[in-house]
Amino acid sequence: MMIHRRISLSFCAAAVLGLAVLIAGQALPKAGLPILTTSAGQSTDVTTLNIVLDEAAIAYDYCDVPTPEMVADGVGLGGRESGPGFHVESTTDPDKHPAGTPYKAVIFAIGASLKGMGASGLTLDSEEARLKKVIDLCKKNKIFVMAVHIGGESKRGPAGSDNERMIDAVAPFADAIIVTKDSNKDGRFTKIAEARKIPLTEVEYALGLVDIMKQVFQ
Amino acid sequence: MNIRRLITLGGMLVLAVVLAGHMSTAVGESAPADVIAGEGCTSILVGKDASTDGSVMTTHTCDCGTCDWTWRHVPAADHKPGSTRKVYHISQYKTWPPSEGLKWDLYKNDFTGLEIPQVAHTYAYHHGMFGYMNEKQVSIGESTIGCQRKMQNPTPAAKLDLSMLTLLGVERAATAREAIQIMGSLAEKHGYGFHDDGEMLAVADPNEAWIFEICPVGPLWTPESGKPGAVWAAQRVPDDHVSVCPNESRIGEIDLANKDFFMASPNVVSLAVDMGYYDPQGGKPFSFKRAYSPVEGSAASTNGRIQRLWRFFDLVAPSGKFKPETPNMDLPFSVKPDKKISILDVMTMTRDRSYGTPFDPVQGIRGGPFKNPNYYRGTRVIDHGLAEYSTITQSRAGLPDAIGGIVWIAFGSQDTSCYMPLYAGMTEIPKSFMVGDHWTFSRDSVRWAFDYTDFHVQVAYSEAIKDIQAAQAKYETELVNRLPEIDAEALAHYKKKPAKAAEFLTAFALNNATTVTNAWWKLGDDLLVKYNRLYLYDAEKRGFSRGQPAIPDWWKRAARAFDILMEPDKK
């Protein structure tokens, strides 16, 4: 490779990187507790998200397929319990946030899995519709929305694919986007963040989310 | 509900009991979902002193239903010093429309970014979803076992999926032990998981059969951590024993001082302690399955959902009087079979439907008038009609590897399919094995020949399966009986020139595959004619009066009883 070409490529890379840093440099937003974690597309990435929060010692409620009504019911999701195709968990401290306390943040782990959606009795269309309703509720009630994509390039898929539809359903409406570098190789999240002026943070590994979560929620 | 209906309902219940001949309280609708580790593949292992011909055998019923079934042969290759081997993500489940191409070309679009140092020489091998048999007779079978949820690592930090691991294993290993060490160490170094979690591989060579189990270590693992990116253990099946993995971890306590029978990653105990799955102060020895992949329940307590483990041991060693009520975790790792096991026995085991057990899928009215085991799938049997294909590998000492190694393949559901051999020394595989998918019918694909026939069996199962069994006797049993003759001929070629033996075996197996495939296309045609519109057409007699498959009287009575049951209440 010729030297001047190397310099040009380096300049381009620096420019792109600088832009990403600039977007990330909007400063990581702060958000409050309590938190609800959920999936956009029913992949196992939401398990990773929950493990990240455990590691960061941040308590959360989890529901794989919450409806707007469930989110509106706040901590404890109105007392709903796990059943076939429906899972809830909670590590939220009831002394700090008793049942019914409105959520201040909802974190979506984006990742489409036909197997996961099938197990929850969902189709791509119904999952998309559900997500729209939940996000509408969050916006209406000023609930902080965080979009997380940690599945990497391999789980992205081409434009219009299942995973990309899940990204479109959540990321443009988020108050913060956190992705692994591998998930943003094509700059898709950078473009969304730029267009919508959403702080975007890239991490190398899922482990990097631990510190990010601490910064946002503590 | 009126009195008449109550009486009828009671009558139906009695009828069902009488018809079934036996009715266990163990039979029910379904098990609680949380005790089911998986609904996938079954893998059987047979030690060399447990088989009738001294071969070491493994099986894999590739149970999916919507996955890719295509196969490839990869030739041996020499590699220059400093060359690298790219590592790809390979999903067991992802498929592509034929118009876009074939899986074993397209998977290379999913490069992980990892290139590992290449070895000087890679062995030739045959593979489908996994690497099954290489030219050194190293063979593999598979069954998903699952793992603790917090151990899953679907992040891109884990570079190695199970399929990729097996390809690397058969490329590089000359023995089962080597394959285990290669797969284990690569997974430790580069991280295991992504598309897969807890998995079992049956790894064998002409002398030994091993169960190798591997799990990810959680999504927060990074290669820079310096910690292993996988946890694994391997236990050898005693030579005179047989074992099985039906989607449940089989390795319990491990004795790493006994190197002839155990291997493990360095974190095998420490990870369990760190993650809270094992308490060294608890007074109990460490158990791999209890720590990393616990499954609660028994065949009976889960109404047959996890009955394959009990069923296998009951099949091979009835003298052991294994009870379906015994918790699966308490069943043995392996058993000595009551009699030595032949390749035909193993073929039959892969077709097992648990008939005559408390979990019989056709007992009572479950199978309909023609006792079709596919109507009522409450019991998870070994042959569940889900297989993309099934394999039986034979690694045979005393023969050159090219002749000794055989992977038998039956495409589609085992009960209506036919096992065809591919020898380790073959230099190509049938083209019809390399194409096709579930959503596009193709007469070029071997799998569709078997599905075509299978489809026509479903109409009058109890009758049509007899036609299938007759064909299996002709094309499968007769071939197995001819094996010594084929071995001798191949050996004669081999002694003159090994390449001639490879040519002979390749030609023989390709010809056999063509013969069997054509026979099954014709069998499908014949069944369509014979059972057309649920009558019986005798193509030889061509008589005016056609018969009808016998509808059993108990079915007619059950139908009448159901009518009464469904009558609207009279006010």
Side-chain angles (χ1 to χ4, degrees):
Chain A
M1 189 184 287
M2 293 169 68
I3 288 185
H4 71 269
R5 201 172 155 209
R6 272 191 192 160
I7 292 169
S8 321
L9 282 177
S10 302
F11 180 77
C12 288
V16 171
L17 192 62
L19 201 57
V21 169
L22 181 66
I23 293 165
Q26 286 180 345
L28 212 50
K30 294 284 181 188
L33 303 175
I35 297 169
L36 174 69
T37 65
T38 187
S39 170
Q42 307 304 315
S43 77
T44 55
D45 291 337
V46 71
T47 303
T48 301
L49 170 64
N50 290 342
I51 290 171
V52 163
L53 291 173
D54 288 338
E55 189 71 15
I58 297 169
Y60 58 90
D61 277 9
Y62 159 68
C63 178
D64 51 355
V65 284
T67 61
E69 295 74 26
M70 294 177 200
V71 179
D73 283 342
V75 169
L77 296 155
R80 292 172 179 86
E81 293 177 357
S82 294
F86 179 76
H87 298 94
V88 292
E89 285 175 21
S90 179
T91 64
T92 303
D93 183 346
D95 292 333
K96 289 182 183 168
H97 302 106
T101 306
Y103 293 115
K104 289 193 176 164
V106 176
I107 311 177
F108 293 87
I110 302 171
S113 161
L114 289 178
K115 192 176 170 185
M117 282 189 274
S120 299
L122 294 166
T123 63
L124 207 56
D125 289 340
S126 62
E127 177 70 336
E128 226 170 27
R130 184 186 70 80
L131 291 167
K132 182 178 184 318
K133 287 178 191 168
V134 171
I135 286 173
D136 285 348
L137 178 97
C138 290
K139 293 295 169 192
K140 186 180 162 192
N141 293 303
K142 299 193 186 318
I143 298 172
F144 184 86
V145 171
M146 180 183 277
V148 173
H149 194 289
I150 45 184
E153 183 184 30
S154 181
K155 292 181 182 169
R156 280 283 311 280
S161 66
D162 304 350
N163 191 72
E164 299 306 280
R165 284 175 64 180
M166 293 299 108
I167 293 173
D168 287 334
V170 176
F173 311 102
D175 298 299
I177 303 173
I178 321 283
V179 298
T180 52
K181 282 182 183 168
D182 194 29
S183 298
N184 194 28
K185 267 189 178 171
D186 61 353
R188 173 127 156 80
F189 289 101
T190 305
K191 285 177 193 159
I192 293 172
E194 280 180 333
R196 299 281 183 145
K197 301 197 184 324
I198 304 168
L200 167 70
T201 306
E202 282 188 349
V203 293
E204 188 72 34
Y205 300 112
L207 181 66
L209 284 171
V210 175
D211 276 345
I212 301 293
M213 293 298 178
K214 284 180 181 172
Q215 289 177 52
V216 174
F217 292 106
Q218 287 180 350
Chain B
M1 189 178 281
N2 61 31
I3 297 290
R4 190 180 171 209
R5 289 177 67 187
L6 272 174
I7 293 168
T8 305
L9 181 60
M12 279 186 75
L13 286 171
V14 172
L15 177 68
V17 172
V18 170
L19 291 172
H22 56 82
M23 174 75 83
S24 164
T25 52
V27 177
E29 294 307 313
S30 64
D34 58 351
V35 300
I36 309 299
E39 291 288 317
C41 318
T42 307
S43 184
I44 294 167
L45 302 91
V46 180
K48 63 182 178 184
D49 296 336
S51 67
T52 52
D53 63 354
S55 65
V56 178
M57 291 185 264
T58 74
T59 76
H60 176 218
T61 58
C62 187
D63 292 323
C64 174
T66 56
C67 294
D68 188 272
W69 61 58
T70 62
W71 278 63
R72 286 289 173 93
H73 168 76
V74 177
D78 293 315
H79 306 279
K80 291 178 182 170
S83 59
T84 57
R85 199 326 180 173
K86 286 188 172 180
V87 171
Y88 302 97
H89 281 307
I90 305 174
S91 165
Q92 293 183 35
Y93 302 99
K94 187 173 181 180
T95 63
W96 290 264
S99 57
E100 288 183 23
L102 291 162
K103 174 170 184 169
W104 297 112
D105 300 317
L106 295 172
Y107 84 98
K108 291 183 179 173
N109 293 335
D110 203 355
F111 176 44
T112 63
L114 172 68
E115 293 188 51
I116 59 176
Q118 182 57 289
V119 292
H121 180 81
T122 47
Y123 298 117
Y125 59 96
H126 309 310
H127 78 87
M129 191 176 283
F130 305 106
Y132 286 100
M133 169 72 74
N134 75 6
E135 61 177 299
K136 305 299 285 184
Q137 301 199 59
V138 173
S139 59
I140 287 178
E142 182 268 356
S143 182
T144 301
I145 57 174
C147 64
Q148 301 269 14
R149 201 161 62 116
K150 290 193 172 184
M151 296 175 74
Q152 294 174 1
N153 185 1
T155 76
K159 300 296 186 196
L160 286 159
D161 305 306
L162 189 72
S163 294
M164 189 73 229
L165 264 187
T166 65
L167 299 188
L168 291 165
V170 293
E171 272 177 18
R172 298 175 173 216
T175 65
R177 287 176 193 240
E178 264 185 38
I180 290 165
Q181 289 292 350
I182 288 165
M183 292 188 289
S185 60
L186 286 171
E188 287 172 35
K189 184 171 183 183
H190 303 293
Y192 165 76
F194 199 64
H195 286 304
D196 299 307
D197 49 67
E199 288 279 359
M200 169 273 186
L201 295 175
V203 188
D205 61 27
N207 293 305
E208 298 178 349
W210 289 77
I211 285 183
F212 168 75
E213 295 183 352
I214 185 167
C215 299
V217 295
L220 303 185
W221 177 83
T222 69
E224 289 81 8
S225 67
K227 295 178 179 176
V231 61
W232 61 270
Q235 184 172 352
R236 182 174 151 200
V237 178
D239 293 344
D240 58 349
H241 275 213
V242 296
S243 187
V244 68
C245 180
N247 299 127
E248 296 170 46
S249 172
R250 304 306 330 287
I251 299 177
E253 294 173 29
I254 53 178
D255 176 10
L256 293 176
N258 186 353
K259 296 186 188 306
D260 269 350
F261 281 87
F262 293 94
M263 291 185 261
S265 56
N267 59 343
V268 68
V269 178
S270 61
L271 182 78
V273 175
D274 290 347
M275 296 190 84
Y277 303 141
Y278 174 61
D279 177 9
Q281 311 305 321
K284 290 183 179 173
F286 172 77
S287 162
F288 189 91
K289 62 186 177 186
R290 290 181 196 279
Y292 297 125
S293 187
V295 172
E296 300 303 330
S298 65
S301 75
T302 62
N303 300 324
R305 296 304 293 172
I306 58 169
Q307 63 91 43
R308 283 173 288 164
L309 189 57
W310 163 80
R311 171 59 174 166
F312 174 79
F313 286 132
D314 191 50
L315 265 179
V316 296
S319 65
K321 300 191 186 306
F322 296 99
K323 292 184 170 53
E325 293 80 14
T326 302
N328 280 15
M329 299 265 268
D330 294 339
L331 286 169
F333 171 77
S334 61
V335 294
K336 184 173 181 176
D338 284 4
K339 65 177 185 63
K340 290 195 175 188
I341 307 289
S342 71
I343 178 69
L344 288 171
D345 291 332
V346 177
M347 289 173 180
T348 302
M349 282 181 214
T350 68
R351 294 180 168 127
D352 186 66
R353 297 272 192 172
S354 293
Y355 294 134
T357 74
F359 313 106
D360 189 333
V362 298
Q363 70 175 293
I365 61 171
R366 285 172 178 75
F370 298 113
K371 295 283 183 184
N372 188 327
N374 297 311
Y375 284 179
Y376 186 86
R377 299 194 183 211
T379 296
R380 178 58 170 89
V381 291
I382 293 175
D383 181 355
H384 208 54
L386 287 170
E388 304 306 344
Y389 53 79
S390 298
T391 61
I392 303 172
T393 66
Q394 279 190 287
S395 301
R396 301 181 296 166
L399 287 167
D401 290 330
I403 304 166
I406 304 176
V407 51
W408 297 84
I409 310 169
F411 286 89
S413 191
Q414 300 94 294
D415 56 345
T416 58
S417 189
C418 181
Y419 279 100
M420 298 170 282
L422 296 182
Y423 283 84
M426 289 171 66
T427 53
E428 61 179 293
I429 62 171
K431 287 193 170 50
S432 66
F433 286 27
M434 298 165 67
V435 296
D437 91 319
H438 276 285
W439 290 273
T440 312
F441 179 78
S442 169
R443 289 196 182 271
D444 296 329
S445 169
V446 62
R447 167 64 192 260
W448 276 110
F450 290 101
D451 276 10
Y452 180 73
T453 295
D454 181 272
F455 182 80
H456 292 115
V457 171
Q458 305 308 315
V459 178
Y461 188 94
S462 54
E463 298 301 311
I465 197 68
K466 295 172 192 165
D467 298 278
I468 298 290
Q469 286 162 351
Q472 287 167 342
K474 180 176 179 183
Y475 293 100
E476 199 175 78
T477 309
E478 284 188 16
L479 182 63
V480 167
N481 293 335
R482 279 184 57 211
L483 274 185
E485 170 197 331
I486 298 158
D487 289 344
E489 195 168 347
L491 195 57
H493 286 296
Y494 188 88
K495 283 176 180 169
K496 288 179 196 162
K497 194 175 179 184
K500 286 286 178 193
E503 272 176 39
F504 166 76
L505 291 170
T506 302
F508 168 76
L510 294 186
N511 183 52
N512 179 70
T514 302
T515 302
V516 172
T517 305
N518 290 340
W520 249 252
W521 280 118
K522 183 173 185 307
L523 186 54
D525 288 345
D526 291 347
L527 292 175
L528 168 60
V529 170
K530 185 173 180 180
Y531 300 104
N532 194 15
R533 309 179 78 181
L534 257 186
Y535 286 97
L536 276 173
Y537 288 84
D538 189 324
E540 288 181 10
K541 290 182 181 170
R542 299 179 64 87
F544 173 75
S545 53
R546 57 194 176 175
Q548 196 171 12
I551 306 281
D553 191 53
W554 59 261
W555 173 255
K556 293 173 186 168
R557 277 185 282 147
R560 284 198 298 275
F562 185 78
D563 287 345
I564 295 166
L565 183 69
M566 297 306 287
E567 275 181 6
D569 285 329
K570 290 175 185 172
K571 293 185 180 176

